[in-house]
Amino acid sequence: MNNFKVLGLATDASWDEVKSAFRRLARKYHPDVAGPEGTRKFSEITEAYMTLKETIAGGPSGRRAARERSERDQRQPQQAAPYEKGESIFKSFWNKLFGGTKAGSHESEPFDCDLPPVRLRFVGSVISRAESDMRTILSRCGEIKARGRTEAILRRLRSGHPGVVMLALRSISGREATNDMRRAVIDHFARHTPSSEILESLLSLFSASGMSAELARVLASHAGNFSAADSMMALRWLRRQNAPKECFAPFLSHPLAPVVAATLNGWPQNQSLPESVDMLGLLKRDEESVLTPLLRLLRRERVPMWLMPSINKIMSEHKSPVVRVWASAIVRDRKLS
């Protein structure tokens, strides 16, 4: 009668009514629908359904077996199950091992379990080994996943398409970049001028790397193709990396005066202009922003005689008084020497 009550049915309900009621209640109290709160109710209706299935659907033999079980349980009340209804034996055993509490109870008493201590210790050691093996498997899976991701990024970096390379650069950070990745980046940009969109990502990738000198030489090879904004960004990065003067020299041939002026103003300390620089071409420029830092650099070193006619011409003809003063200082130092 209690099983019929759990399903909300009369005691004379048919088997079809039992099945219909069980399906309706199962859809309502299934843990996937009702959450953890519905677990106990779902267990109760499941047990009631299975009992009625044996008694009603099983015919007279099923009802007779159910009565015998009921009478046996009443005669032996002390042999209660070591775990609550609706709870698996594994959960009971787990709580026995780790001090769990009974379902629906706020007490911290462990379940009563008749397993011997030797068996408990054995299963505990099995669980510990399983946990260790699982950690190893997860670690290896992580390594395989990281290796696969690295190979995919390398394939993109070796691509000749700038858009594919840009996606690859955006997908990695300087912390996780490997030397193989940086080598692929250098090989790509040795053949292709980096666009404005990816230059910043490119520079940040090599900021704290031992391969920054190789990237500096690559940037120098593309100096004439950079825009003014990209040139300024590259020059700032070169100064932070303490790049040699050979990496700055190509920017002196840039067609835009602000780039040339920024290169001269940020020239490495205590380093002379390299012989490869077209000094006569620079001295023929008319911009004050270019000539002032150029003459200041030339005064630090002994100016060769073949440059003096150009400097004398600047001293006497240039419209900027600041430029004429620096040219005069070079001429005066030359005469004194």
Side-chain angles (χ1 to χ4, degrees):
M1 294 177 62
N2 184 59
N3 293 325
F4 285 108
K5 184 179 179 180
V6 170
L7 296 177
L9 298 172
T11 56
D12 58 348
S14 65
W15 172 239
D16 290 336
E17 291 175 328
V18 170
K19 291 192 292 183
S20 178
F22 171 72
R23 294 192 187 99
R24 184 182 70 256
L25 294 173
R27 286 194 294 268
K28 180 178 179 181
Y29 292 106
H30 194 280
D32 291 343
V33 177
E37 296 80 5
T39 303
R40 179 174 292 278
K41 183 65 176 178
F42 183 77
S43 300
E44 291 178 357
I45 63 176
T46 301
E47 183 176 356
Y49 170 77
M50 296 303 296
T51 302
L52 292 175
K53 181 178 180 182
E54 293 178 357
T55 57
I56 298 178
S61 61
R63 287 192 289 271
R64 185 168 56 254
R67 284 197 303 271
E68 291 176 356
R69 284 197 303 272
S70 177
E71 293 173 357
R72 184 170 62 252
D73 291 341
Q74 291 176 1
R75 289 195 303 270
Q76 298 176 350
Q78 72 280 4
Q79 296 181 359
Y83 52 92
E84 300 238 341
K85 291 182 179 179
E87 185 174 20
S88 67
I89 184 63
F90 177 77
K91 185 175 180 181
S92 171
F93 180 72
W94 182 274
N95 287 324
K96 177 67 177 178
L97 282 177
F98 298 103
T101 59
K102 296 183 179 180
S105 173
H106 298 289
E107 300 177 0
S108 60
E109 297 177 1
F111 283 96
D112 294 331
C113 187
D114 57 356
L115 292 176
V118 175
R119 182 73 60 83
L120 290 174
R121 288 194 296 270
F122 171 73
V123 177
S125 65
V126 171
I127 293 175
S128 298
R129 287 197 300 270
E131 290 177 343
S132 177
D133 293 341
M134 183 59 68
R135 283 193 294 268
T136 303
I137 292 172
L138 292 176
S139 176
R140 290 177 180 174
C141 288
E143 293 175 359
I144 293 173
K145 183 178 180 180
R147 192 181 308 119
R149 182 172 180 270
T150 300
E151 292 174 355
I153 291 174
L154 287 174
R155 285 196 300 272
R156 292 173 183 170
L157 290 174
R158 296 189 184 103
S159 171
H161 195 286
V164 176
V165 177
M166 181 178 65
L167 290 175
L169 286 175
R170 288 179 176 176
S171 65
I172 58 178
S173 63
R175 183 176 299 177
E176 65 179 358
T178 63
N179 286 337
D180 290 338
M181 292 181 185
R182 293 189 176 94
R183 171 59 58 192
V185 170
I186 290 174
D187 292 341
H188 173 83
F189 290 110
R191 303 186 303 271
H192 305 88
T193 302
S195 63
S196 301
E197 295 179 300
I198 61 176
L199 182 59
E200 185 174 0
S201 299
L202 174 65
L203 297 179
S204 63
L205 188 63
F206 285 81
S207 292
S209 168
M211 301 177 68
S212 58
E214 297 183 46
L215 180 63
R217 288 191 289 270
V218 169
L219 294 177
S221 66
H222 298 297
N225 301 323
F226 285 138
S227 64
D230 290 348
S231 297
M232 299 299 184
M233 187 188 307
L235 287 170
R236 287 193 296 271
W237 185 85
L238 289 172
R239 284 194 291 271
R240 288 196 299 269
Q241 302 301 317
N242 295 320
K245 61 183 181 181
E246 288 75 17
C247 296
F248 290 88
F251 288 91
L252 295 176
S253 302
H254 200 280
L256 297 178
V259 176
V260 178
T263 306
L264 291 169
N265 283 313
W267 197 260
Q269 291 292 330
N270 302 323
Q271 293 194 35
S272 60
L273 293 170
E275 296 179 359
S276 59
V277 174
D278 182 11
M279 297 301 301
L280 286 176
L282 288 175
L283 289 172
K284 289 179 181 179
R285 302 192 67 140
D286 190 56
E287 300 90 351
E288 177 183 342
S289 60
V290 172
L291 289 177
T292 300
L294 175 62
L295 294 172
R296 188 168 57 244
L297 286 173
L298 288 175
R299 194 187 177 197
R300 291 192 327 206
E301 53 189 283
R302 185 177 179 83
V303 180
M305 285 299 299
W306 56 274
L307 286 179
M308 291 308 299
S310 298
I311 295 176
N312 283 319
K313 184 178 181 180
I314 292 173
M315 180 183 65
S316 58
E317 298 180 3
H318 202 276
K319 59 184 178 181
S320 171
V322 176
V323 173
R324 292 199 302 269
V325 166
W326 279 105
S328 300
I330 293 176
V331 172
R332 184 177 59 254
D333 293 345
R334 184 71 182 184
K335 288 180 179 179
L336 292 175
S337 61

